[in-house]
Amino acid sequence: MTLSQLPSLLRTEPAMTSVIGGSSGVIAVPDPARAFFVAGVVNLTSARPVTVAVPTSADADRLVSDLRVWLGEDEVEVFPAWETLPFERVSPAIETMGRRLRVMWHLRRPSEKSPSVVVAPVKALVQKLGPHVEEVAPIVIRKGATFDPTDLVERLVSAGYRRDYQVEGRGDVSVRGSIIDVFPSTSSTPVRIDLWGDEVDRLSEFSINDQRSTDDIECAELFPCRELLPTDEVRKRAEQLVTQQPWARDQWERLSEGLTFDGMESWLPWLTEDDHVLTDLLSHDAQVFLIEPRRMRDRAADLLGEEASLADTLAETWGAKAQNQSFPRLHVEFDRLLSRTAAPARMVTSVAEGPDTPAIVASGWSSIVGDAAKVASQITSLKAKKARVIIAATTAASAHRMADSLREQGVSAPVVEAGSDLSQPGAYTVVAQLDRGFAIPNAGVAVITESDVSGRKRAHRQARKPRKRIDQGFFEDLAAGDYVVHHQHGVGKYAGMVKRAIGGAERDYLMLAYKGDDKLYVPSDQIDAIRPYTGGETPSLHKLGGADFGRAKARVRDAVQLIAQELVVLYQKRTHSSGHAFAQDTPWQNELEEAFPFQETPDQLKAIEDVKADMEEPVPMDRLVCGDVGFGKTEIAIRAAFKAVQDGKQVAVLVPTTLLAQQHFATFSDRFSGYPIRVEVLSRFLTPAQAKKVVQGVKDGEVDLVVGTHKLLANSLKFKKLGLLVVDEEQRFGVTHKEAIKHLQENVDVLTLSATPIPRTLEMSLTGIRDLTILNTPPAERQPILTYVGEYDDRAVAEAMRRELLREGQMFFVHNRVQDIDRVAVHLREMVPEARIAVAHGQMDESTLEQVV
């Protein structure tokens, strides 16, 4: 919902006269009210566009989200920064480059589609622009227009689009007869151009999943996929660099030939002699606001320092330093931002820096979190002062629930639809995604968000790298001293490769050492007879010809048969026992699902339907959900767990590691924060007293959902009314571990999540013993995992660390020995002194490890 009527009320705020009249270069605006302030500037002045500079990309995302509520979706644009490191031979994301080009085009060619507000992090603003990129026009396709299909495809390819058999990702273009499919760099959906001869007969969007057309559209703008295009000027400059800086001859030759390739943008500093930036494109009709200018200046200085350090490292790595060649810079000084712009600029601070600094009088709502009576009291007080009080909920269901809750407290705040008149004093409940609320007394406006009332924040999850198969690459990594298992002779120690002549023929053998100085020579062509030993670090060697290995295999065989028999009995009981039939979805269930901040994939929706259908049956559920990392398995578990709790049952979430337990605890707590659900965690991070309290709460039924590691399998843990068991990362548990908790109650519903299920689990699913749902479709915005393998190099490590620091990210450096991990940390601090480095390992005590994590 757009609340565009309200920002104009700021005309009654005295400090706004300094902005409208232009009498001051500094204004103080508290953080919660900044988006509302910027929206008021747009409504009360004729300046277009209003360019807002912020310190970080996270600040930009939050500001844009709120501004779109106050102004409208199409009125606000982000000028994003490259995700890549300077000089890194990887191109930024296609969407990032496309959005940057679109902003630059609209700044130079104002139109009805031009945004009123452009928000940019300082990293994006201090970055140099490519040669004449602001003049790059989009290819516009309209229904009924005529053009040469061959010429269109050639233009798209020269603009960086990749021709493929089928469009599957952003930047792809495909031709099938009279149909041209293209995924624009700035769009979230691909476009299908259906031609009748040379005329566009139909223009529509289509689905990547099934390649079927969906909604018809009238026009499509196709911006390039590259921010650096091989124009004549660029090609000429590259030709000169072939002789001037021969250390990168291969790259200069590719650019001089007009080729487009991944990573070409990293050479932009060499290919432009001008240092123009985005603010240079603004006219005198625009206006610039610098949010927290001191933080911005510090951030820009950090960027330049990181870039200089990285340039020195790479100049030596790439051989440029040996030729006395220095690297040009991608970023400019902070003071350069406003030196060539025609637009007036103002600084926005949190507090007034002096008595003459105008300030917007505003405050937040940190004191009312979770207190419905206090919220009602605040609203009553504001209504008495003739203020407009807006209660912003994230979904329609939560809006009605909040309105009902206030009605119970004696406060009327009806839910209003989009387009309703909100200019009159009173309290209104709306559906709007706002980050934080505020009150501006002079303007008679107050906004209370759902997070102000419940403390609920949006969930943020990161994908983990898939596990590598244990046996993959075993023989390549086999080294002398490794323990191996021969299929006939048992555990031995690999002693290296030897050559032996038998019968006049010399062959290569693997020499295995056994107990009693026995040696076994395995021909190299029989290497499949051995396997890596995985039972422990220091196993006992078997004796050649002895009975030890035979007895060990017999014991394992008996144990496997016993477990198999127990499994058969268990699954037979589960199949023939009556489980709990959960009720249909409640309104709260729908509200929780509407609050999911991402778009579900078709596979994810099907999995959710399958799980819910199983839970509503009287037979105990036993379903395996198999999908890659980042495909949405956790959200399926969240909805199943919520459904179980809504029906009065308890939920246990079993995970293999303490860190994953903490992550799931945070995720479930975040999603359930607005509901009367008690979520607890059982891990070694808890003190004995805390763990005892959780165990007692589980036993008494006061704990609705518990996340834990193997502690959930302890005999001391008793559930009062367990209804659902979720097993995450199923492949990392042993058979006895997973079956132990099922024995707690034979009729419990079980949901298993795995990216790489073990063969036994997969076989059970394929044969029908367990139900199987597969997630094949990745989310549309899922970022790929990039993996680089090579020998250890300090320079490469320092480069990777600085790359993440420039991206405002975090990193893990995994070391294989606790004994010298602190020495490694000291070395990393010496290489990258600006990084804040903490050490964590499994031998730490719980409190210290918890603080680090």
Side-chain angles (χ1 to χ4, degrees):
M1 181 175 184
T2 303
L3 307 177
S4 56
Q5 307 168 27
L6 298 177
S8 59
L9 295 174
L10 277 174
R11 65 168 59 92
T12 59
E13 167 61 50
M16 286 298 291
T17 58
S18 67
V19 177
I20 298 174
S23 59
S24 176
V26 181
I27 185 170
V29 184
D31 185 30
R34 282 176 183 162
F36 191 75
F37 163 73
V38 174
V41 172
V42 172
N43 282 3
L44 299 175
T45 68
S46 59
R48 294 294 185 279
V50 175
T51 302
V52 184
V54 294
T56 67
S57 297
D59 294 331
D61 292 339
R62 285 193 295 268
L63 184 62
V64 167
S65 178
D66 284 357
L67 279 173
R68 285 174 174 163
V69 173
W70 298 121
L71 295 174
E73 188 75 21
D74 297 332
E75 294 298 313
V76 186
E77 275 275 20
V78 181
F79 186 68
W82 285 1
E83 310 91 349
T84 52
L85 191 72
F87 319 121
E88 184 180 21
R89 302 190 191 191
V90 178
S91 291
I94 291 175
E95 181 185 15
T96 298
M97 293 187 285
R99 291 164 64 192
R100 286 169 58 90
L101 289 169
R102 182 172 63 186
V103 169
M104 288 184 277
W105 174 254
H106 286 312
L107 288 180
R108 293 300 299 269
R109 305 287 191 281
S111 66
E112 294 180 358
K113 293 184 178 181
S114 298
S116 298
V117 180
V118 174
V119 181
V122 68
K123 181 182 176 183
L125 290 178
V126 297
Q127 179 185 314
K128 296 178 183 179
L129 304 180
H132 307 294
V133 290
E134 69 275 12
E135 300 174 4
V136 176
I139 300 173
V140 181
I141 307 296
R142 300 183 185 277
K143 184 178 179 180
T146 59
F147 58 83
D148 182 357
T150 303
D151 177 64
L152 172 64
V153 175
E154 290 178 353
R155 290 174 64 192
L156 288 173
V157 171
S158 64
Y161 284 82
R162 180 181 60 255
R163 184 165 182 174
D164 210 337
Y165 170 74
Q166 180 174 287
V167 169
E168 295 181 342
R170 190 175 277 107
D172 288 351
V173 60
S174 171
V175 180
R176 297 194 305 275
S178 62
I179 294 177
I180 300 176
D181 290 343
V182 59
F183 203 141
S185 60
T186 57
S187 175
S188 57
T189 52
V191 173
R192 175 160 292 158
I193 306 169
D194 200 340
L195 298 171
W196 179 261
D198 291 345
E199 182 180 349
V200 180
D201 183 55
R202 183 189 182 192
L203 192 62
S204 63
E205 296 176 340
F206 68 94
S207 170
I208 288 292
N209 299 322
D210 56 17
Q211 296 288 309
R212 293 184 178 180
S213 297
T214 53
D215 301 327
D216 287 355
I217 57 177
E218 293 298 322
C219 176
E221 286 186 342
L222 310 180
F223 284 89
C225 292
R226 297 285 179 191
E227 199 167 333
L228 177 65
L229 296 174
T231 60
D232 292 341
E233 180 181 345
V234 169
R235 296 175 65 176
K236 183 178 179 180
R237 175 63 179 155
E239 287 178 2
Q240 297 172 353
L241 290 170
V242 171
T243 56
Q244 294 175 0
Q245 303 203 29
W247 57 271
R249 177 185 295 273
D250 293 344
Q251 310 300 329
W252 309 140
E253 289 179 346
R254 296 168 73 184
L255 288 164
S256 65
E257 293 171 3
L259 302 178
T260 58
F261 54 91
D262 186 54
M264 60 186 297
E265 287 77 14
S266 61
W267 306 103
L268 185 148
W270 285 269
L271 299 170
T272 178
E273 297 181 354
D274 193 7
D275 63 346
H276 69 306
V277 294
L278 183 76
T279 49
D280 296 350
L281 309 181
L282 300 175
S283 67
H284 66 278
D285 295 328
Q287 191 165 186
V288 178
F289 287 94
L290 304 181
I291 306 292
E292 300 290 356
R294 291 181 180 175
R295 283 184 60 204
M296 291 181 59
R297 183 181 294 276
D298 292 343
R299 177 62 180 148
D302 290 342
L303 288 170
L304 289 172
E306 296 283 358
E307 183 178 1
S309 178
L310 185 59
D312 291 341
T313 301
L314 293 181
E316 183 175 350
T317 303
W318 295 353
K321 183 173 286 189
Q323 301 177 15
N324 295 321
Q325 300 286 349
S326 61
F327 281 16
R329 295 294 183 260
L330 179 64
H331 300 99
V332 300
E333 298 282 348
F334 178 77
D335 292 335
R336 166 66 182 80
L337 286 183
L338 303 177
S339 62
R340 300 183 193 174
T341 183
R346 288 181 175 83
M347 314 295 178
V348 179
T349 60
S350 296
V351 294
E353 297 181 349
D356 297 331
T357 302
I360 301 291
V361 180
S363 59
W365 302 101
S366 58
S367 61
I368 66 173
V369 172
D371 192 338
K374 198 166 188 177
V375 175
S377 175
Q378 294 274 12
I379 294 175
T380 301
S381 176
L382 289 166
K383 289 176 68 175
K385 297 175 182 178
K386 305 299 182 182
R388 296 89 173 161
V389 185
I390 308 299
I391 298 98
T394 55
T395 65
S398 58
H400 286 283
R401 182 162 62 88
M402 293 176 70
D404 293 341
S405 178
L406 290 172
R407 190 179 301 112
E408 293 174 358
Q409 298 290 333
V411 176
S412 174
V415 179
V416 297
E417 302 296 331
S420 301
D421 184 12
L422 305 179
S423 60
Q424 299 302 315
Y428 311 92
T429 303
V430 301
V431 179
Q433 295 281 353
L434 287 170
D435 185 55
R436 295 170 62 188
F438 57 87
I440 304 180
N442 292 332
V445 176
V447 176
I448 302 174
T449 67
E450 188 170 341
S451 62
D452 293 325
V453 177
S454 66
R456 180 188 301 176
K457 300 295 181 182
R458 297 179 183 176
H460 296 282
R461 292 181 301 226
Q462 294 183 345
R464 293 185 304 103
K465 185 179 292 187
R467 282 178 45 134
K468 183 179 178 180
R469 289 177 52 187
I470 293 176
D471 60 344
Q472 189 171 6
F474 160 63
F475 300 115
E476 296 177 2
D477 299 333
L478 186 61
D482 291 347
Y483 291 97
V484 297
V485 181
H486 191 278
H487 74 92
Q488 280 186 327
H489 304 290
V491 178
K493 182 184 289 187
Y494 174 62
M497 295 289 294
V498 297
K499 291 183 179 292
R500 299 193 70 187
I502 301 178
E506 188 177 67
R507 299 176 61 183
D508 289 328
Y509 292 85
L510 287 80
M511 185 171 67
L512 307 183
Y514 281 84
K515 187 176 181 180
D517 294 329
D518 290 342
K519 298 289 189 296
L520 176 67
Y521 297 92
V522 181
S524 58
D525 58 354
Q526 297 179 21
I527 193 171
D528 291 339
I530 64 174
R531 288 290 181 268
Y533 176 81
T534 57
E537 294 184 2
T538 55
S540 299
L541 300 181
H542 290 139
K543 184 174 179 61
L544 284 179
D548 293 347
F549 187 48
R551 286 195 295 267
K553 287 195 294 185
R555 288 195 300 269
V556 172
R557 190 180 300 110
D558 292 342
V560 170
Q561 290 177 351
L562 180 61
I563 293 174
Q565 185 177 2
E566 291 177 354
L567 285 174
V568 171
V569 173
L570 175 64
Y571 281 104
Q572 185 179 20
K573 287 182 179 179
R574 287 176 57 82
T575 303
H576 294 88
S577 64
S578 59
H580 178 75
F582 289 91
Q584 298 286 329
D585 288 355
T586 64
W588 277 7
Q589 181 83 31
N590 298 328
E591 178 183 329
L592 174 92
E593 297 181 0
E594 288 179 7
F596 184 52
F598 307 104
Q599 179 64 47
E600 300 92 342
T601 66
D603 292 345
Q604 200 176 14
L605 290 172
K606 182 180 183 303
I608 293 169
E609 293 175 1
D610 291 344
V611 170
K612 287 182 178 179
D614 287 352
M615 294 178 68
E616 293 170 5
E617 292 291 331
V619 179
M621 174 180 69
D622 194 359
R623 179 169 292 277
L624 168 66
V625 176
C626 182
D628 201 356
V629 175
F631 277 39
K633 299 188 296 295
T634 303
E635 178 63 20
I636 297 170
I638 287 174
R639 299 187 184 187
F642 194 84
K643 184 179 182 70
V645 173
Q646 288 296 291
D647 216 33
K649 293 292 185 178
Q650 291 175 298
V651 180
V653 181
L654 181 63
V655 297
T657 66
T658 301
L659 294 182
L660 188 56
Q662 292 298 126
Q663 177 185 344
H664 275 332
F665 171 64
T667 302
F668 278 89
S669 299
D670 176 71
R671 292 299 306 280
F672 295 169
S673 61
Y675 306 93
I677 297 176
R678 181 179 170 187
V679 180
E680 295 287 356
V681 64
L682 263 181
S683 71
R684 68 188 187 94
F685 282 170
L686 271 63
T687 65
Q690 292 172 329
K692 183 178 180 180
K693 187 177 179 180
V694 173
V695 170
Q696 187 63 41
V698 172
K699 182 179 180 180
D700 297 339
E702 297 177 357
V703 173
D704 299 299
L705 184 146
V706 58
V707 183
T709 56
H710 302 83
K711 288 182 177 291
L712 291 185
L713 308 179
N715 294 329
S716 59
L717 184 65
K718 304 294 182 183
F719 289 88
K720 182 177 181 180
K721 44 186 176 180
L722 182 62
L724 174 66
L725 167 65
V726 179
V727 183
D728 196 11
E729 296 289 341
E730 170 267 353
Q731 74 279 1
R732 299 178 64 178
F733 288 97
V735 175
T736 53
H737 283 151
K738 285 181 289 188
E739 304 310 325
I741 197 166
K742 296 178 188 176
H743 281 295
L744 295 175
Q745 289 188 5
E746 293 175 353
N747 60 347
V748 65
D749 283 17
V750 179
L751 175 62
T752 304
L753 311 176
S754 179
T756 54
I758 60 176
R760 180 184 64 82
T761 300
L762 192 58
E763 193 269 341
M764 285 183 174
S765 300
L766 295 176
T767 55
I769 297 177
R770 310 177 71 175
D771 295 314
L772 173 66
T773 300
I774 299 178
L775 304 180
N776 285 318
T777 309
E781 301 301 323
R782 179 176 184 261
Q783 296 298 318
I785 298 173
L786 303 179
T787 304
Y788 302 92
V789 180
E791 294 184 3
Y792 178 83
D793 187 338
D794 278 348
R795 293 171 298 183
V797 172
E799 177 183 342
M801 293 178 67
R802 288 194 167 97
R803 177 184 62 202
E804 290 306 315
L805 290 175
L806 285 171
R807 291 174 179 169
E808 303 161 11
Q810 292 177 298
M811 68 212 79
F812 282 97
F813 184 98
V814 182
H815 184 59
N816 61 343
R817 286 186 302 273
V818 174
Q819 288 80 1
D820 56 352
I821 193 171
D822 290 313
R823 180 179 58 78
V824 174
V826 170
H827 183 57
L828 292 176
R829 291 189 184 99
E830 292 173 350
M831 287 196 303
V832 189
E834 64 273 22
R836 293 174 296 174
I837 298 175
V839 176
H841 55 77
Q843 295 181 15
M844 285 181 168
D845 62 87
E846 285 80 357
S847 60
T848 305
L849 181 59
E850 182 179 14
Q851 290 175 3
V852 172
V853 173

